[in-house]
Amino acid sequence: MIRITTQKVILHVAIFIVLLPLVTATQKHTKKIIHECSDHKVLELSPKLSFQIILHGILLWASMGFLMPIAILVIRMSNKDQNGRRLKMIVYTHAFLQILSVLLVAVATIVSVINFENFFDNTHQKLGLALYVAIWLPFIAGIFRPDRGSKNRGVWYAFHWLIGVTVTLLGIVNVYIGLQAYNTKTMKSTSVWNWLFSIEVGVIAFIYLFQEKWQYIKQSGGILGNESVRPTDQEASPTQKKEISPMA
């Protein structure tokens, strides 16, 4: 009973946080901070606006470009782990990273709604709005996780995995789109940030693929190790067989 009540409270709080920036966006009066220049809309960056844009970018990178991929890598460690205590720590770490990621996205969205023009007339803003709603789905699904062995566990796992991976991939794509939008609006180079982010994504992708084969590598190493230490019956000499047979 207490668990159900807690789930309802968390769900209501989540819905409130989801809707708050959306309602604020419809009520906010937009500020004209752009001017026409060579058929381009070049953003005039005051020190305050520059800080707000950088803060918005860092929050979204930390959330969708770092914490969510790391959370996926962490939970994949539980696939072959049979240790109950270690398994519980992995699940708690995964949940903590997901919650922190959702909170950072909420803060980044509020920063955007309050300080930026949000006409949702470009890909970055449209995809960002969709991701802001979608990122709550794996979080809410985690709250209502069925018990292991229940008939709905498989369906829940498929949904939780699919939506989590999809949001993470689209979040990474939107980071690239955001960097490109910043470059277009301000005419400032973002090549260094693109390279650094690409290196990070490459490392995460390598670890993700390596995790898939790690268990096989460990098993292969164990088999080869046993075979190298323990001779087979065909390789054993007659003398060795005589020494072994009485012990059997």
Side-chain angles (χ1 to χ4, degrees), residues 110-129:
I110 292 172
V111 170
S112 174
V113 167
I114 294 175
N115 300 290
F116 307 151
E117 291 184 331
N118 293 287
F119 299 117
F120 301 104
D121 57 352
N122 61 63
T123 304
H124 179 66
Q125 290 180 349
K126 292 176 182 177
L127 184 55
L129 179 63

Side-chain angles (χ1 to χ4, degrees), residues 17-18 21-22 25 56 59-61 63-64 68 101-102 104-110 112-113 116 118-136 166-179 181:
I17 297 176
V18 170
L22 304 181
H56 173 77
L59 288 173
L60 286 182
W61 162 78
S63 172
M64 294 190 171
M68 287 197 70
S101 177
V102 169
L104 291 180
V105 167
V107 174
T109 304
I110 292 172
S112 174
V113 167
F116 307 151
N118 293 287
F119 299 117
F120 301 104
D121 57 352
N122 61 63
T123 304
H124 179 66
Q125 290 180 349
K126 292 176 182 177
L127 184 55
L129 179 63
L131 286 171
Y132 176 70
V133 176
I135 196 174
W136 290 87
T166 302
V167 168
T168 300
L169 292 177
L170 291 179
I172 290 173
V173 170
N174 209 33
V175 171
Y176 282 112
I177 296 175
L179 288 171

Side-chain angles (χ1 to χ4, degrees), residues 17-153:
I17 297 176
V18 170
L19 295 180
L20 178 61
L22 304 181
V23 174
T24 305
T26 62
Q27 297 176 344
K28 186 176 72 71
H29 297 288
T30 58
K31 299 177 181 179
K32 298 298 180 180
I33 55 173
I34 57 177
H35 71 277
E36 297 297 328
C37 178
S38 303
D39 297 329
H40 269 337
K41 290 182 176 182
V42 180
L43 195 63
E44 294 178 352
L45 284 181
S46 64
K48 181 180 179 181
L49 181 59
S50 179
F51 169 77
Q52 291 165 348
I53 292 175
I54 293 173
L55 177 62
H56 173 77
I58 290 176
L59 288 173
L60 286 182
W61 162 78
S63 172
M64 294 190 171
F66 183 73
L67 290 177
M68 287 197 70
I70 295 300
I72 291 176
L73 296 181
V74 167
I75 199 62
R76 282 168 62 83
M77 296 168 57
S78 67
N79 290 344
K80 303 296 181 180
D81 202 321
Q82 302 298 326
N83 186 296
R85 185 177 180 182
R86 189 161 54 237
L87 186 62
K88 185 179 292 186
M89 288 298 299
I90 290 173
V91 172
Y92 285 162
T93 303
H94 171 78
F96 171 77
L97 292 174
Q98 290 285 73
I99 293 171
L100 183 58
S101 177
V102 169
L103 293 177
L104 291 180
V105 167
V107 174
T109 304
I110 292 172
V111 170
S112 174
V113 167
I114 294 175
N115 300 290
F116 307 151
E117 291 184 331
N118 293 287
F119 299 117
F120 301 104
D121 57 352
N122 61 63
T123 304
H124 179 66
Q125 290 180 349
K126 292 176 182 177
L127 184 55
L129 179 63
L131 286 171
Y132 176 70
V133 176
I135 196 174
W136 290 87
L137 297 179
F139 171 73
I140 294 173
I143 296 174
F144 296 96
R145 181 180 73 255
D147 295 331
R148 288 181 177 273
S150 63
K151 62 179 181 179
N152 295 325
R153 179 76 178 195

